[in-house]
Each structure stands twice: as C-alpha cells, then as structure tokens.
Amino acid sequence: MMEQDFSCRSHQLEMMDGDATGFEDFRNCLHDLEIVNVCTLAYRPTLHWLKQVLRGDKSRQPVSIPHIGSGGGGMLRKIWKWAHRSGRET
C-alpha cells in the first residue's frame, strides 16, 4: 500500500466514485461514511444553520433542500427528523 501525502489536497477519485467499485464495496463505503459523520458530529453545523435560517419563518411554507453529492442520505434523514419534530414537515 502506498503511503498517502496529506499535506496537500488529493485530486484522485474517491474509491466509491470509481467504475471498478462493486456494490458490496460501495455499500461498505457508505456504512463507514455514516460512522465517520456520526463520530465527528458532522450533521450538527448544517442542522444548526437550517434552524437559524428558518427560525423567523412563521409561514410554514414548504422549503426545498437539494442534496448534492453522494452518500447514503443521512443528512436528509436528519433534516426530515428535525422537520417532523418541529412541525415543519409537509
């Protein structure tokens, strides 16, 4: 295995973005990504921002949130749970 140089940004494809990645490896990547996101509290900044942005909105109009990128949809599930708990779901 090659030693990685983390002193500068890599422009290599992520493992899960390559054509050679099979379903099992892709599923494992998504699982590992979810673990990292939970352990690093990665969802908190986005949820905090969303709460701040919508705090003054009393209209309760639906809000569209595009999910750009790859992943298992964990952020959208967190947003849906927050919306459900706060009465913002439609």
Side-chain angles (χ1 to χ4, degrees), residues 63-80:
V63 176
S64 294
I65 301 173
H67 187 231
I68 301 168
S70 185
M75 178 57 76
L76 290 178
R77 282 190 294 279
K78 295 284 185 184
I79 291 171
W80 182 86

Side-chain angles (χ1 to χ4, degrees), residues 1-2 5 16 21-22 24 28 32 36 40 50 53 59 61 66 69 71-72 78-80 85-86:
M1 180 184 269
M2 287 181 21
D5 178 9
M16 58 191 273
T21 303
E24 191 70 25
N28 290 337
D32 292 347
V36 169
T40 61
L50 185 60
V53 166
S59 71
Q61 292 293 317
K78 295 284 185 184
I79 291 171
W80 182 86
R85 286 192 311 269
S86 65

Side-chain angles (χ1 to χ4, degrees), residues 28-81:
N28 290 337
C29 285
L30 292 179
H31 178 263
D32 292 347
L33 181 60
E34 178 65 16
I35 291 170
V36 169
N37 285 339
V38 169
C39 291
T40 61
L41 307 175
Y43 297 120
R44 285 185 179 186
T46 301
L47 292 172
H48 177 74
W49 173 83
L50 185 60
K51 290 172 192 176
Q52 294 295 98
V53 166
L54 296 177
R55 176 174 283 159
D57 178 21
K58 305 296 184 210
S59 71
R60 299 292 189 202
Q61 292 293 317
V63 176
S64 294
I65 301 173
H67 187 231
I68 301 168
S70 185
M75 178 57 76
L76 290 178
R77 282 190 294 279
K78 295 284 185 184
I79 291 171
W80 182 86
K81 286 178 185 177

Side-chain angles (χ1 to χ4, degrees), residues 7-21:
S7 66
C8 58
R9 184 175 183 91
S10 171
H11 296 285
Q12 295 176 317
L13 285 176
E14 293 184 23
M15 278 180 50
M16 58 191 273
D17 292 338
D19 291 337
T21 303

